[in-house]
Amino acid sequence: MNQDFEVDITDEQVVSFQENGFLSIDRVTTGTEIEWMRGLYDQLFDDRWGEKEGRYFDLGGQRAHTGKDVLPQILGPETRFPELRETTYFRNAVTITARLLDVESSTVSGGGHMILKPGGYGRETPWHQDEAYWNPHELPNRLSAWLPLDPATLESGCLQFIPKSHEGEVVDHRHVDNDPLVHTLVADHVDSLQAIVCPIPIGGAVFHHCRTLHSAGPNLTNQQRRAYILVLGPPGQRLEKPFERPWIEEEQKALANLDSLAASKS
């Protein structure tokens, strides 16, 4: 669903992103496209699309738990709906990413995931850096474009950032509740008094570097908070010596044990 709506950013905005590690954009797509994406989004979550393949799972709870999902996520919605790659949002996000990372737009690629915070009980997303979740054998040069499909306010769980935190290394992370079967990571010892809160209107987006510390509070409203996130950038640099990310190894071992247990019962 490609519409004629192009977004340009100023040199000042580029400098702000490079200095602080995040940038809020008032509008990256149209209201019509938002409505259309909401329909696809709701269909994916209603169907729990990709659950058997591990694409749908609860970020805020144990893998394979039987309770209420407090922070469900879907990975790679473009696989189910390839037309998402033809949207105004996708096109503008690629253009903005190229400017912010100072690379050619032809080198920018990536895909998305969708996160749902149910009204009234949607769990917080604790302080973390996106790169902490990623392949430790690669040095990435990527950012995330975070598009709300509902008003993202402080009460509904908008993003908050620690300015300039992208200038450092990936800090130590651990799994929430120290449980490797909970996918969500948390970085301890973050000075939240430095946080900048970024409420985003429908149709707007916030872009942040993969090393920028960020969080989002719980959804305290009675309305769901839907978000569609794109992770974009040029190819990463392959490392001869991988980063030490023990939390990734812990999760891989826990999931392998869970699969073995499930196989033994089948």
Side-chain angles (χ1 to χ4, degrees), residues 6-140:
E6 295 184 358
V7 176
D8 194 14
I9 57 175
T10 66
D11 291 342
E12 289 77 14
Q13 287 175 306
V14 174
V15 170
S16 178
F17 173 85
Q18 293 172 347
E19 290 182 348
N20 295 300
F22 65 95
L23 178 70
S24 177
I25 306 289
D26 287 341
R27 181 162 289 274
V28 295
T29 187
T30 66
T32 300
E33 186 166 90
I34 290 287
E35 285 296 325
W36 174 77
M37 285 193 286
R38 282 173 171 170
L40 301 188
Y41 186 108
D42 291 346
Q43 183 177 336
L44 288 166
F45 279 91
D46 289 345
D47 295 343
R48 300 173 69 99
W49 176 78
E51 186 169 17
K52 291 183 179 179
E53 297 78 24
R55 291 183 179 273
Y56 175 102
F57 60 91
D58 187 6
L59 271 171
Q62 273 195 342
R63 291 292 188 112
H65 73 80
T66 57
K68 184 163 53 177
D69 291 339
V70 294
L71 196 61
Q73 171 177 254
I74 286 177
L75 303 177
E78 304 86 12
T79 303
R80 173 65 181 85
F81 294 114
E83 55 267 40
L84 286 168
R85 292 185 177 275
E86 306 299 324
T87 58
T88 297
Y89 168 48
F90 198 99
R91 185 185 70 246
N92 283 329
V94 167
T95 300
I96 293 170
T97 295
R99 286 270 280 140
L100 294 178
L101 297 181
D102 193 21
V103 298
E104 294 294 329
S105 59
S106 60
T107 69
V108 175
S109 62
H113 57 283
M114 294 173 166
I115 299 177
L116 172 64
K117 283 200 173 181
Y121 65 89
R123 189 169 185 171
E124 69 173 347
T125 310
W127 289 106
H128 69 282
Q129 296 160 295
D130 289 344
E131 190 182 333
Y133 286 95
W134 297 352
N135 182 1
H137 294 270
E138 181 183 271
L139 177 63

